[in-house]
Amino acid sequence: MVREKIRVSTRTLKWKCVESRTDSKRLYYGRFILSPLRKGQADTIGIAMRKALLGEIEGTCITRAKSEKIPHEYFTLVGIQESVHEILMNLKEIVLRSNLYGTRDASICIKGPGYVTAQDIILPPSVEIVDNTQHIANLTEPINLYIELKIERNRGYRIQTPNTFQDASYPIDAVFMPVRNANHSIHSYVNGNEKQEILFLEIWTNGSLTPKEALHEASRNLIDLFIPFLDAEEENFHFKNNKQKVTLPLFPFHEKLPKLSKKKKEIALKYIFIDQSELPPRIYNCLKRSNIHTLLDLLNNSPDELMKIKHFRIEDVKHILDILEMEKNFA
C-alpha cells in the first residue's frame, strides 16, 4: 500500500494519487484528489468522471465459445466435472488485456486428467491474460477438450440473448468494463473568504488497467465528447424546417486524383495504410471497425458516408481532411 499526505495548493488546480494498492491480480485500488475547486465544481466533475470511468473505457472479453461435442448449453460431458454452463461462466470471469481491434480467435486444446486454467488458452499475440490461475474446468478422465473462442474489445456490457446463437457456438455475457467500481466524495473548507472543495475519487479496476491508467483514459474520452462544442463553427451549420444539416467539404485529393490513370491511382492509394497517418486513437478505431484500412478505402467513402459511422463526428472528418492535405504530395 502506498499513502501520501494530502497537501492542498490554493494557487493552481492539481490532482494527486494519495493511496494505491493491489488487493489481488484482479483487483486494483486507487484514491485520487483534485483541488482546489470552487463550490459545486467537485460534484460536477465527480459525477461526470464516475460515468466516464464506468462507461467510456474499453475492455477485452471472451464473447463466444464453440465445441462440436456440445449439443446445448446445459449438456454435461463425460470426464468433465463442470457442466457446459459452468464452463461458460468461468470463461466469462477471465480478465484479458489487449489493444486489439475487432474480433480475434483463441482456443483451448488440452488432454486430461487435470485442471484447465486460463494459462491453457492459446491467445493471439495482441492479447494477454491478467490472472493465469483462473479456473475453467476439471478433467477427471483422459479425454481431449477442444474449445474455440472469440475475443472482442468493446465498452460497457452486453447481455446475450438466445437469438445470438450461430454456427453451433455459445454466446457469453460480456462485461467489457475494466473499472469495477468508482466513487467520489467531497471535502469542503474555507480559504479566506472563499469556500473551496477537494474532490476525492476512488477507483477499483479488474487488473487489466491500473486506476491511474483508467483515470487518464476516462479523462481523454470525456474530453473527446466535449470537443464538438469547442470546434463548432456557426457558418458550417444550416437550418431548414428546424432540422440541422451539415455542409461538408470534399476531400482535397478528389480534384487531383483524375489526373492519374485509374490503375496508378489505385496502386498508390492501396498501399498507404491509415496506420501511417497520425490519427487520434478514437478516429483510428472508428475507421478500422468500418473496414477502412487504406487511403483507397478512405477516399472511396464520401464525407457524408463517413458521418454515418458510429461515434464519428464532423470534427473527425475535418481532422482527416487536414491530415490528407499534409500528405497530398503522394499524388
Side-chain angles (χ1 to χ4, degrees), residues 35-226:
S35 66
L37 296 165
R38 294 179 180 178
K39 184 180 179 180
Q41 289 182 334
D43 202 38
T44 301
I45 298 172
I47 292 173
M49 282 303 304
R50 184 176 186 275
K51 288 184 175 293
L53 285 163
L54 294 174
E56 297 298 328
I57 301 179
E58 291 187 342
T60 306
C61 290
I62 297 173
T63 58
R64 192 169 288 274
K66 178 182 178 180
S67 178
E68 295 180 355
K69 297 181 180 180
I70 302 175
H72 57 80
E73 183 179 354
Y74 297 98
F75 186 72
T76 300
L77 291 169
V78 176
I80 301 180
Q81 182 174 312
E82 293 81 1
S83 67
V84 174
H85 179 73
E86 290 173 321
I87 293 175
L88 294 177
M89 291 301 99
N90 291 337
L91 290 171
K92 176 183 175 180
E93 295 299 319
I94 292 176
V95 179
L96 302 173
R97 177 170 45 232
S98 80
N99 290 317
L100 65 80
Y101 303 99
T103 304
R104 296 288 186 275
D105 294 325
S107 63
I108 298 174
C109 186
I110 191 170
K111 184 176 182 180
Y115 289 100
V116 183
T117 61
Q119 69 178 354
D120 298 309
I121 300 177
I122 303 171
L123 295 166
S126 58
V127 183
E128 60 181 286
I129 296 172
V130 171
D131 184 5
N132 285 326
T133 65
Q134 285 180 261
H135 179 74
I136 298 176
N138 180 19
L139 306 185
T140 58
E141 296 182 15
I143 64 170
N144 292 317
L145 176 65
Y146 179 72
I147 304 176
E148 298 177 22
L149 304 172
K150 292 289 184 182
I151 295 174
E152 184 180 342
R153 182 177 175 85
N154 212 318
R155 64 180 62 184
Y157 61 90
R158 184 169 64 212
I159 305 300
Q160 302 289 3
T161 55
N163 60 7
T164 56
F165 286 72
Q166 59 187 21
D167 302 328
S169 63
Y170 297 88
I172 300 174
D173 294 342
V175 181
F176 295 105
M177 300 178 294
V179 175
R180 291 303 187 219
N181 194 14
N183 289 329
H184 82 278
S185 58
I186 301 168
H187 171 70
S188 300
Y189 65 99
V190 177
N191 181 20
N193 295 326
E194 185 180 4
K195 190 173 183 179
Q196 295 184 335
E197 297 177 339
I198 303 174
L199 172 65
F200 290 82
L201 276 172
E202 292 183 287
I203 303 171
W204 291 261
T205 70
N206 64 1
S208 62
L209 288 177
T210 66
K212 184 177 179 180
E213 290 171 335
L215 184 62
H216 287 179
E217 186 168 342
S219 300
R220 287 195 300 265
N221 292 342
L222 195 58
I223 290 170
D224 282 345
L225 294 176
F226 287 98

Side-chain angles (χ1 to χ4, degrees), residues 13-31:
L13 192 63
K14 293 182 179 180
W15 74 276
K16 181 187 292 186
C17 177
V18 294
E19 185 177 350
S20 175
R21 69 171 185 260
T22 302
D23 294 332
S24 69
K25 290 182 179 180
R26 288 179 280 168
L27 184 59
Y28 289 12
Y29 172 80
R31 190 165 181 249

